[in-house]
């Protein structure tokens, strides 16, 4: 977990790595460009060895320099990565687990309106498998992929779930009626490529559901470089409702509803995150909408 008490002007050349690992240095990082426009961004916040930048054309915010894929895998393989935060104490009535169940209930209610069970559901970034287990209990036929080998193993061994250790591209290619990715899009190397893979794996009429922190939220605006969700090691893309819709549309996905209220179950207690539902746009090559 990042040190939330650190003042933004107190940054040094390195940030602490995961527990026990050496701090991140410039050698662990690489530059990145906007996934939509291919352009380097303008500086928003300096967090050495990282920086948060904004695309001058589409205003998508991203981290550059950012950790290399190899450094990221080191981070996600740390058991400490899943400790604390939204997972916390995994006993049944811990506050973190009550929140997890509240989110699962609200999100499944939203999904049921769009694509009720029994449908196939793929979760990308399934963590410890808590949502996937709730979806299974609700009647969905579920499977997951999870980059953290620790998370994937826990989901398989403790919950008996079909979870593959890896990324979306590693999952078997059969399509799903519902693809979910909670707090995942901000972590992927290229959100446009990721959403295109999602689009390719949806059955006709398939739906998507996701959650993501958003940088136009009140905490993000008020706190700037001190925003607790900035976490430049892991959160390498920062969306607004507008830029999320933009990236999704480029991938052939239409965002149909967005939940921002922290009092709605799907997003309970989350002041700086949104939950979005969407669907695949009609396939233009398949006799759908004509090209403009
Ligand atoms: Zn751009």
């Amino acid at each position: 977990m990042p040190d939330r008490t650190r003042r933004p002007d107190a940054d040094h050349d390195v940030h602490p790595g995961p527990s026990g690992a050496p701090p991140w240095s410039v050698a662990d990082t690489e530059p990145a460009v906007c996934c939509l426009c291919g352009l380097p961004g303008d500086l928003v916040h300096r967090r050495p060895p990282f920086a948060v930048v904004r695309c001058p054309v589409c205003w998508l915010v991203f981290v550059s320099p950012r950790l290399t894929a190899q450094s990221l895998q080191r981070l996600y393989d740390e058991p400490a990565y899943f400790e604390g935060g939204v997972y916390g104490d995994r006993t049944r009535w811990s506050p973190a687990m009550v929140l997890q169940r509240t989110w699962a209930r609200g999100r499944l209610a939203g999904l049921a309106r769009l694509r009720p069970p029994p449908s196939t559901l793929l979760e990308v970034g399934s963590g410890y498998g808590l949502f996937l287990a709730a979806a299974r209990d609700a009647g969905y036929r579920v499977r997951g992929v999870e980059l953290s080998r620790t998370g994937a193993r826990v989901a398989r061994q403790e919950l008996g779930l079909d979870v593959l250790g890896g990324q979306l591209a590693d999952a078997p290619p059969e399509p799903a009626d519902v693809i979910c990715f909670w707090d995942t899009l901000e972590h992927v190397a290229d959100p446009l490529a990721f959403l295109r893979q999602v689009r390719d794996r949806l059955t006709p009429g398939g739906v998507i559901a996701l959650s993501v922190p958003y940088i136009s939220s009140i905490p993000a605006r008020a706190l700037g470089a001190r925003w607790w969700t900035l976490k430049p090691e892991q959160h390498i893309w920062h969306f607004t409702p507008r830029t999320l819709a933009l990236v999704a549309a480029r991938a052939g996905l239409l965002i149909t509803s967005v939940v921002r209220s922290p009092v709605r179950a799907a997003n309970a207690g989350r002041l700086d995150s949104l939950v979005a539902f969407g669907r695949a746009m009609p396939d233009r090559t398949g006799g759908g909408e004509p090209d403009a």
Side-chain angles (χ1 to χ4, degrees), residues 34 36-37 55 58:
C34 175
L36 287 180
C37 311
C55 174
C58 74

Side-chain angles (χ1 to χ4, degrees), residues 34-39 55-60 62 246:
C34 175
C35 66
L36 287 180
C37 311
L39 294 171
C55 174
V57 173
C58 74
W59 279 43
L60 186 55
F62 55 100
L246 191 63

Side-chain angles (χ1 to χ4, degrees), residues 16 21 23 34 37 41 63 75 127 135-136 139-140 149 164 166 175 192 209 221 226 237 240 242 246 249-250 266 269:
C34 175
C37 311
V63 173
L75 180 68
R136 177 179 61 187
Y140 288 97
R149 285 178 268 242
L164 184 85
L192 178 59
R221 285 169 183 261
R226 289 174 297 136
W237 300 92
T240 65
R242 188 189 69 82
L246 191 63
R250 278 280 289 275

Side-chain angles (χ1 to χ4, degrees), residues 271-287:
L271 299 171
D272 62 353
S273 294
L274 60 80
V275 170
F277 297 94
R279 61 179 175 81
M281 288 183 187
D283 186 351
R284 291 181 173 191
T285 60

Side-chain angles (χ1 to χ4, degrees), residues 25-94:
S25 75
V26 172
D28 300 312
T29 68
E30 62 186 9
V33 293
C34 175
C35 66
L36 287 180
C37 311
L39 294 171
D42 299 331
L43 183 67
V44 178
H45 302 301
R46 204 182 290 282
R47 292 282 291 265
F50 311 107
V52 179
V53 300
R54 180 186 288 119
C55 174
V57 173
C58 74
W59 279 43
L60 186 55
V61 175
F62 55 100
V63 173
S64 176
R66 66 186 192 187
L67 285 182
T68 61
Q70 196 181 15
S71 305
L72 264 183
Q73 185 68 54
R74 253 168 69 207
L75 180 68
Y76 293 140
D77 281 342
E78 278 291 317
Y81 177 72
F82 278 113
E83 286 165 13
V86 294
Y87 286 97
D89 173 6
R90 286 193 294 136
T91 53
R92 181 163 173 78
W93 294 108
S94 70

Side-chain angles (χ1 to χ4, degrees), residues 31 126 140 155 179 190 206 213 228 231 234 239 268 278 283:
S126 50
Y140 288 97
I179 301 183
D190 182 337
W228 60 79
K231 301 181 184 177
Q234 313 154 28
F239 302 93
D283 186 351

Side-chain angles (χ1 to χ4, degrees), residues 58-232:
C58 74
W59 279 43
L60 186 55
V61 175
F62 55 100
V63 173
S64 176
R66 66 186 192 187
L67 285 182
T68 61
Q70 196 181 15
S71 305
L72 264 183
Q73 185 68 54
R74 253 168 69 207
L75 180 68
Y76 293 140
D77 281 342
E78 278 291 317
Y81 177 72
F82 278 113
E83 286 165 13
V86 294
Y87 286 97
D89 173 6
R90 286 193 294 136
T91 53
R92 181 163 173 78
W93 294 108
S94 70
M97 292 300 283
V98 170
L99 259 185
Q100 289 280 340
R101 287 200 299 276
T102 305
W103 293 336
R105 178 167 50 80
R107 294 166 186 185
L108 285 168
L111 275 177
R113 285 191 283 273
L114 297 168
R115 191 80 193 206
S119 302
T120 52
L121 182 150
L122 169 66
E123 186 182 2
V124 186
S126 50
Y128 280 136
L130 303 172
F131 175 80
L132 218 45
R136 177 179 61 187
D137 293 346
Y140 288 97
R141 299 194 301 274
V142 304
R143 58 200 165 89
V145 287
E146 169 54 49
L147 188 60
S148 157
R149 285 178 268 242
T150 308
R153 189 177 62 244
V154 169
R156 283 195 301 266
Q157 291 177 354
E158 294 187 11
L159 297 171
L161 291 161
D162 176 9
V163 173
L164 184 85
Q167 309 192 46
L168 177 56
D170 304 320
E174 69 255 37
D177 302 319
V178 179
I179 301 183
C180 305
F181 35 105
W182 310 118
D183 298 343
T184 294
L185 196 61
E186 68 274 26
H187 296 262
V188 303
D190 182 337
L192 178 59
F194 175 87
L195 290 172
R196 283 180 168 150
Q197 288 175 35
V198 167
R199 170 73 177 81
D200 288 346
R201 285 163 183 270
L202 280 175
T203 55
V207 306
I208 60 164
L210 68 127
S211 61
V212 75
Y214 68 111
I215 199 159
S216 52
S217 62
I218 290 169
R221 285 169 183 261
L223 296 171
R226 289 174 297 136
W227 181 33
W228 60 79
T229 308
L230 208 56
K231 301 181 184 177

Side-chain angles (χ1 to χ4, degrees), residues 247-261:
V247 181
R250 278 280 289 275
L253 295 161
L254 184 69
I255 301 294
T256 54
S257 66
V258 173
V259 178
R260 274 181 284 188
S261 168

